[in-house]
Amino acid sequence: PVFRATKEQVMQTQKMLKVTETGKLSKEDREALKTYQTENGLKATGTLNKVTLEKMGITLTDKQKEM
């Protein structure tokens, strides 16, 4: 199964990154996410993976926790 962030998780991330909260990651959002990942010792993928969500303190769904 592929790890996917929920719309709510994307919006929480966008709020933390201080970008427009749309529920979908734009190219600019992904760049901001890469910066966050680099600054926090994570692999700069520009994607909302499990490790990034956990580092941001965003709650995972039960399904995501199993992955």
Side-chain angles (χ1 to χ4, degrees):
V2 177
F3 187 92
R4 293 213 188 281
T6 66
K7 185 174 182 178
E8 181 61 35
Q9 289 168 329
V10 172
M11 290 180 78
Q12 288 177 6
T13 300
Q14 289 171 323
K15 188 172 190 172
M16 288 181 75
L17 296 174
K18 295 179 174 60
V19 295
T20 306
E21 295 171 45
T22 61
K24 290 185 179 171
L25 289 176
S26 69
K27 187 177 178 190
E28 292 79 15
D29 297 348
R30 290 182 191 283
E31 288 304 315
L33 191 53
K34 281 183 185 178
T35 301
Y36 174 88
Q37 289 168 326
T38 300
E39 289 172 352
N40 287 276
L42 304 174
K43 188 175 179 185
T45 60
T47 60
L48 267 181
N49 51 38
K50 185 176 181 178
V51 177
T52 302
L53 288 172
E54 288 173 336
K55 185 78 172 182
M56 293 179 125
I58 296 173
T59 307
L60 301 177
T61 65
D62 290 338
K63 189 175 177 185
Q64 289 171 331
K65 288 176 187 171
E66 293 170 9
M67 292 185 185

